[in-house]
Amino acid sequence: MASSRDQGKAYFQRGKFSAAADSYTEAIAMEPSDAALFQNRALCFQKLARWQSVVDDATKAAELAPSSVKAHYLLATGFSNLEKTAEAEREFGVAEGLAAAPENAQYRMSIQQGLHALYARQMEAEHHREADQDIEDMRVLEEMVRERRDIELAQRASLQPEDG
């Protein structure tokens, strides 16, 4: 019979991410100090877009294996998708530092892509804030113009001779 770890891997390879996460949960119950199991379950949660779960498992993996590029990268990705920019930048920085080692070269491109996506999201958010402010400014200006017009109309009306 296959181990929970092996079942998790098989489910993941078939795209059955929820079942894979369940298998990794069983494996974690048997081996709670195995960082790779937390990383693998975090990968499942990443595929399921369960970002807080990614952060939780990647945090545990990073505690168990502080030099794991994968754990810090997953943690950064989770924070990024939760829009926790400072935390994401910090973890991408840790991952990038760890990826400087020759044996971790395969992670460098993913880290750079993650940082690029984070900065692009920041720029887009800033653009939306500026656009929202522009819309609010236009609304205020239009209201001021209407108020001024109403005052002028009232003044003209008060200067008109009364019929009678």
Side-chain angles (χ1 to χ4, degrees):
M1 184 166 130
S3 71
S4 297
R5 176 192 300 262
D6 292 338
Q7 287 176 331
K9 183 176 181 179
Y11 282 134
F12 188 90
Q13 290 171 341
R14 292 195 317 252
K16 297 179 182 276
F17 305 118
S18 187
D22 290 344
S23 291
Y24 286 123
T25 298
E26 291 173 16
I28 288 167
M30 292 182 269
E31 298 179 65
S33 61
D34 188 336
L37 293 173
F38 286 97
Q39 288 173 173
N40 291 344
R41 189 170 66 177
L43 279 170
C44 297
F45 291 143
Q46 182 180 38
K47 295 290 188 179
L48 297 166
R50 290 178 47 191
W51 303 115
Q52 187 57 57
S53 295
V54 171
V55 167
D56 294 344
D57 275 4
T59 298
K60 184 65 176 174
E63 289 170 2
L64 293 169
S67 62
S68 170
V69 177
K70 191 175 188 178
H72 290 283
Y73 173 76
L74 287 166
L75 189 51
T77 302
F79 281 137
S80 179
N81 282 284
L82 290 172
E83 299 181 13
K84 294 183 176 183
T85 304
E87 294 90 337
E89 282 181 313
R90 180 190 69 232
E91 292 303 324
F92 275 126
V94 172
E96 194 169 40
L98 294 169
E103 66 273 13
N104 294 323
Q106 74 274 17
Y107 292 107
R108 289 187 199 125
M109 180 65 82
S110 294
I111 293 166
Q112 290 301 316
Q113 289 171 341
L115 279 167
H116 178 74
L118 177 68
Y119 294 141
R121 193 175 301 130
Q122 280 180 295
M123 288 174 46
E124 184 179 341
E126 180 61 27
H127 174 72
H128 283 294
R129 280 191 293 277
E130 289 172 1
D132 289 347
Q133 186 60 51
D134 288 347
I135 291 168
E136 179 61 18
D137 291 348
M138 289 299 294
R139 189 193 65 71
V140 169
L141 279 171
E142 289 171 355
E143 183 63 28
M144 290 171 65
V145 167
R146 273 194 295 280
E147 288 175 7
R148 179 70 184 152
R149 185 193 63 216
D150 291 347
I151 291 169
E152 288 175 359
L153 289 173
Q155 287 174 342
R156 283 188 201 143
S158 68
L159 296 175
Q160 297 292 323
E162 292 185 24
D163 292 334

